[in-house]
Amino acid sequence: MNFSSDFTMTINGEAASGGASIDVINPATASSFAQCPDASAEDLDRAVQAAKDAFKTWKLVPVEERRAMLIKAGDLIMANADPLASLFTKEQGRPVTLAKQEILGAGYWFHATAALDLPVDITEDTDQRRVEVHHEPLGVVCAIVPWNFPVLLASWKIAPALLAGNTIVVKPSPYTPLCTLKMGELLRTVFPAGVVNIITGGDALGPMMTAHKGFAKISFTGSTATGKRVMEAAARDLKRITLELGGNDAAIVLPDVSAEKVSQSLFDGAFSNSAQICVATKRLYVHNDIYDDVRDRMVQIARRAVVGDGSQQGTQFGPVQNKAQYDRVMNLLESAKAEGLTIHQGATPDLEGYFVPLTIIDNPPEDSRVVVEEAFGPILPMMRFDDIDEVIARANNTDYGLAGAVWSADIERAVQIAGRLETGTVWINENLQSTPLTPLAGHKQSGFGAENGIYGLREFTQPKAIYIPKSSDAVA
Ligand code: NAD
């Protein structure tokens, strides 16, 4: 498709420029390269009204037709993966080939979600009556998305919300608005006007949305601190919420694995996307017997890794996505230095952007900031352990509970350990996996509710029980 040269919002099926605009920064150069609209309260009202109007008819569209439109949307996103990927790299920083994987992943998610079903459940079927539970759409959904996976995480909300019969207003992060706006251009050609609205704006827009009375549901992905504000705002009129929040995920590596075989995977599980993944390994616990070997190999990988501008061939790791996050990560690094911790680092390019060296902190104390806080940047604390019960307690000693991993040649034992981790997801001998059929659901302060699969789909619905008598004898 020929994209327009400017960046416009999608409101009621049409391009909308909004009055003001905000700069979009390329994190590899730390300079502005485009502008996106800064939606006003009136723009938001128009988007919500359009979605409300569209809901009246969209909810009645047969599910097979909704499915067909989701598949068409997925096709269009995939067909435009190349232009979207180069734009993605400019706004997000990730190397182009990896950026393309995210765009293709979003298309795939539309397809896979289209195949889900919301059958009527029967909870009683006797001679007297049948009780049916229908899953009705909620109304207009407010979708708020972060900057680390802007396109994929938007698709996790748009596809199930629409399949269930809702309409939606999507807000990407002000740091990564552009690909989502372009996705809006594609979706405008598929869905009836008002079904999908995409608006962008600065820091004021998120709170304006969560306070807006027109929304029936908020689907939010972002930090735990913001998630709590979203929950407070939703409480005012009991909007439904799904919150996918932060994590401080632990990986536990038992002594029966080969350091040579696992080190690269452990490294990737921590540093992919420059460690800006909610479910990345953020605390790595390695058994004493193999600790030195694993550490030395991972330090070598960090030293060899190519960090740079994602638009350049050969770059493996891009910059940290934005200045605020860069400052946070550098502050954490400074505090590790001030604490006198042992630090191993790779190189950074001689560029203006927000580059942080891939950093491994060697066996810091359990209460140091780099262990306790979610870095959400390329600083990995790696700790020794001897006793499995003790390391499980350390892994669980956090308010977060998003994901975790166990690495062992003894799969049965690993499954037992997985059962003791207080997280919504545990991987065994792998990392960072998610599928459109499997719930991503944060335990503790990592979330509320679930995304993906039938679990996520149901969160966009209201169960409605209908008691149906088998005969009308009692009344006529
Ligand atoms: P953030 O919470 O700062 O922002 C997320 C989104 O919320 C952005 O669109 C932002 O503009 C908006 N927002 C900010 N303040 C708001 C408010 N008061 N009301 C409503 N909306 C508001 O998070 P971020 O820095 O963009 O993303 C990083 C965080 O997201 C990390 O903690 C990471 O772990 C988490 N994350 C979680 C998942 C998951 O699935 N659990 C996935 C990706 C990222």
Side-chain angles (χ1 to χ4, degrees):
M1 174 170 147
N2 286 330
F3 286 114
S4 63
S5 57
D6 54 353
F7 294 100
T8 53
M9 302 187 286
T10 298
I11 298 179
N12 203 21
E14 289 175 358
S17 307
S21 62
I22 49 178
D23 282 334
V24 183
I25 309 286
N26 178 342
T29 62
S31 56
S32 160
F33 72 100
Q35 275 83 39
C36 76
D38 186 4
S40 61
E42 291 70 37
D43 293 325
L44 171 61
D45 282 343
R46 279 201 304 126
V48 175
Q49 192 56 51
K52 260 182 147 173
D53 293 343
F55 178 64
K56 291 178 202 144
T57 44
W58 179 249
K59 67 178 175 185
L60 303 175
V61 170
V63 72
E64 287 313 322
E65 285 178 37
R66 297 204 291 258
R67 269 189 227 294
M69 284 186 243
L70 288 183
I71 290 168
K72 199 168 161 203
D75 289 343
L76 264 180
I77 292 168
M78 289 184 177
N80 288 280
D82 283 318
L84 287 173
S86 56
L87 178 64
F88 187 109
T89 297
K90 277 194 197 147
E91 67 172 337
Q92 206 278 342
R94 193 183 311 155
V96 176
T97 45
L98 301 171
K100 186 170 173 182
Q101 282 177 17
E102 172 161 348
I103 310 293
L104 294 174
Y108 169 62
W109 233 268
F110 269 84
H111 285 177
T113 304
L116 294 175
D117 219 357
L118 273 175
V120 172
D121 298 326
I122 309 292
T123 55
E124 184 183 317
D125 195 2
T126 60
D127 291 344
Q128 287 73 43
R129 69 180 180 197
R130 188 172 74 251
V131 182
E132 296 182 350
V133 181
H134 296 246
H135 303 282
E136 299 206 324
L138 296 166
V140 182
V141 172
C142 161
I144 300 181
V145 183
W147 44 259
N148 62 334
F149 282 83
V151 177
L152 185 66
L153 296 180
S155 77
W156 287 16
K157 301 180 188 310
I158 299 170
L162 300 196
L163 181 69
N166 304 278
T167 56
I168 197 163
V169 180
V170 183
K171 185 197 88 66
S173 165
Y175 296 118
T176 51
L178 302 181
C179 280
T180 316
L181 290 174
K182 289 296 161 200
M183 185 157 74
E185 276 188 38
L186 299 177
L187 300 183
R188 265 179 232 163
T189 68
V190 179
F191 295 101
V195 170
V196 185
N197 304 272
I198 299 194
I199 59 175
T200 52
D203 290 345
L205 186 57
M208 268 200 288
M209 289 175 79
T210 56
H212 201 291
K213 290 202 175 303
F215 290 113
K217 151 113 194 167
I218 303 171
S219 176
F220 172 84
T221 304
S223 63
T224 294
T226 310
K228 289 177 183 175
R229 278 180 223 124
V230 170
M231 195 168 188
E232 274 176 30
R236 283 177 223 141
D237 32 23
L238 276 186
K239 293 183 182 87
R240 279 29 177 181
I241 50 170
T242 301
L243 305 176
E244 292 288 2
L245 308 177
N248 198 8
D249 299 359
I252 298 174
V253 186
L254 272 58
D256 60 359
V257 300
S258 146
E260 188 189 351
K261 279 194 177 170
V262 301
S263 294
Q264 182 70 53
S265 304
L266 294 175
F267 187 87
D268 295 342
F271 289 103
S272 296
N273 199 29
S274 299
Q276 301 163 119
I277 303 186
C278 53
V279 291
T281 299
K282 292 170 187 155
R283 293 176 293 151
L284 178 60
Y285 293 100
V286 181
H287 193 275
N288 237 329
D289 291 355
I290 55 168
Y291 181 93
D292 291 344
D293 196 1
V294 173
R295 180 206 50 214
D296 291 349
R297 288 170 190 278
M298 289 186 58
V299 169
Q300 281 314 311
I301 299 169
R303 291 199 174 130
R304 280 199 307 266
V306 182
V307 177
D309 182 335
S311 65
Q312 303 299 313
Q313 262 209 336
T315 298
Q316 294 171 298
F317 298 89
V320 164
Q321 200 281 324
N322 60 72
K323 176 77 165 64
Q325 190 61 19
Y326 173 80
D327 289 344
R328 271 202 65 232
V329 175
M330 292 309 274
N331 177 276
L332 213 48
L333 201 50
E334 287 311 315
S335 104
K337 285 182 188 158
E339 282 180 71
L341 304 180
T342 306
I343 298 173
H344 308 280
Q345 292 186 308
T348 45
D350 193 15
L351 293 170
E352 283 300 304
Y354 309 132
F355 293 99
V356 176
L358 306 187
T359 302
I360 291 169
I361 314 265
D362 195 347
N363 202 33
E366 199 68 16
D367 61 355
S368 56
R369 275 187 64 203
V370 283
V371 181
V372 175
E373 293 181 25
E374 179 192 34
F376 217 61
I379 305 180
L380 176 69
M382 182 171 172
M383 283 81 69
R384 297 174 182 275
F385 76 90
D386 277 310
D387 178 73
I388 196 68
D389 291 330
E390 182 236 324
V391 80
I392 291 170
R394 286 161 76 188
N396 286 337
N397 184 25
T398 167
D399 288 337
Y400 291 114
L402 197 53
V406 184
W407 296 77
S408 173
D410 182 343
I411 311 259
E412 232 170 86
R413 184 158 183 234
V415 172
Q416 281 169 6
I417 296 169
R420 295 172 64 191
L421 292 179
E422 295 163 355
T423 60
T425 298
V426 186
W427 295 290
I428 294 170
N429 300 340
E430 61 178 358
N431 262 320
L432 305 180
Q433 301 300 306
S434 62
T435 89
L437 301 184
T438 311
L440 182 70
H443 213 311
K444 301 196 262 188
Q445 295 191 24
S446 282
F448 196 95
E451 283 196 301
N452 295 331
I454 194 69
Y455 312 86
L457 184 59
R458 283 208 169 149
E459 300 224 353
F460 290 103
T461 65
Q462 168 69 40
K464 179 188 208 170
I466 306 181
Y467 289 68
I468 305 165
K470 290 276 168 81
S471 103
S472 56
D473 290 354
V475 293

